[in-house]
Amino acid sequence: QVQLVESGGGLVQAGGSLRLSCAASGSISAVNVMGWYRQAPGKQRELVATITTSATRNYADSVKGRFTISRDGAKNTVYLQMNSLKPEDTAVYYCNLLSVTSSNYWGQGTQVTVSS
């Protein structure tokens, strides 16, 4: 089993920045993909960004140039630096880990609210 614990959400004004963190613990495969997804009220959960253990990154078009995903392998932690935040970025952000065995794990979610 893998546990994911997120932190760093909160309330920020439009144009501001936040940094999310997600620490993974448990039986973590050496090869995996960690990432962030978000779900706004009344909408489906959507991909924000992912990063592999070899540091290959993937971003949703809506966040390219504003968000940066990174990871610390030694700490099994993934980060999401969010700059130039917009009200439409308001959502619950979920950390995800996809293992080499295709096991899929989710964090409990952290609220990000961007005021206009």
Side-chain angles (χ1 to χ4, degrees):
Q1 283 293 325
V2 173
Q3 295 78 42
L4 302 173
V5 178
E6 301 124 331
S7 60
L11 173 65
V12 65
Q13 289 188 331
S17 298
L18 282 174
R19 188 191 195 209
L20 305 182
S21 300
C22 172
S25 61
S27 301
I28 303 167
S29 59
V31 176
N32 59 66
V33 181
M34 293 189 75
W36 292 93
Y37 291 71
R38 66 187 182 187
Q39 188 167 17
K43 295 187 176 181
Q44 290 189 333
R45 192 172 297 188
E46 63 178 6
L47 179 145
V48 177
T50 60
I51 183 168
T52 68
T53 44
S54 58
T56 299
R57 296 169 172 83
N58 180 48
Y59 294 96
D61 288 343
S62 59
V63 306
K64 283 181 181 176
R66 300 188 298 122
F67 292 10
T68 301
I69 190 169
S70 61
R71 67 188 293 167
D72 183 332
K75 297 180 179 179
N76 289 317
T77 298
V78 64
Y79 306 95
L80 186 68
Q81 178 66 44
M82 305 185 292
N83 298 328
S84 302
L85 282 160
K86 304 175 181 180
E88 51 264 43
D89 294 317
T90 295
V92 178
Y93 283 69
Y94 295 92
C95 180
N96 174 265
L97 186 148
L98 178 65
S99 76
V100 67
T101 61
S102 297
S103 296
N104 208 13
Y105 301 96
W106 294 94
Q108 80 283 359
T110 185
Q111 177 71 45
V112 171
T113 302
V114 184
S115 63
S116 57

